Amino acid sequence: MPHFIAEYSANLEGDANFPVLFETVHRVLGDSGVFPLGGIRSRAIRHDTYRIADGEHDYAFVHMTLKVGSGRDLATRKKVAETLFEAIQAHFAPLQEKRLLAVSFEMTELDPDLNFKHNNIHAFLKGER
């Protein structure tokens, strides 16, 4: 399932390199052995209207959320989240060297009774379709 969502300030457009970040995210999550590759999705949402801190500098932000299905214990989720955040920090480190940038990440677990999905990608990746 996991859905990785990066919300970012418009002043990062062209600098954040989300395609490379998403490649890293998919590799980390796939290599974790916790999530099947066919369920991993990533997207970026640009925010044109925002204010950061005192608004007097060219501050930027990227806030990332990983939404996961229920059923994994806290230790497993924490290990994946920590490993993923290390990769995220490494991705944004060069940009933080050049500019004021707030980077945040959270993992959320979806309610098992209120999470609906229908997916034929898993079967395709297994050669069943």
Side-chain angles (χ1 to χ4, degrees), residues 12-62:
L12 284 180
E13 191 70 38
D15 292 333
N17 202 347
F18 288 110
V20 169
L21 175 63
F22 294 163
E23 183 178 328
T24 299
V25 167
H26 286 234
R27 180 182 41 77
V28 168
L29 294 177
D31 289 352
S32 74
V34 177
F35 305 105
L37 184 61
I40 304 170
R41 295 168 186 57
S42 295
R43 55 194 171 272
I45 302 168
R46 174 183 156 146
H47 290 280
D48 293 318
T49 305
Y50 58 91
R51 181 180 172 98
I52 304 168
D54 58 15
E56 294 184 16
H57 300 279
D58 189 31
Y59 303 117
F61 78 87
V62 60

Side-chain angles (χ1 to χ4, degrees), residues 3-4 14 29 36-38 52 65 69 78 107 110-111 125-126:
H3 286 225
F4 182 80
L29 294 177
L37 184 61
I52 304 168
T65 304
K78 186 173 181 182
M107 178 189 283
L110 300 173
D111 185 296
L125 288 175
K126 291 179 183 175

Side-chain angles (χ1 to χ4, degrees), residues 99-119:
R99 67 169 309 137
L100 297 166
L101 172 61
V103 176
S104 57
F105 167 72
E106 67 178 319
M107 178 189 283
T108 60
E109 184 180 43
L110 300 173
D111 185 296
D113 296 321
L114 300 174
N115 180 19
F116 306 92
K117 47 188 166 274
H118 181 76
N119 181 345

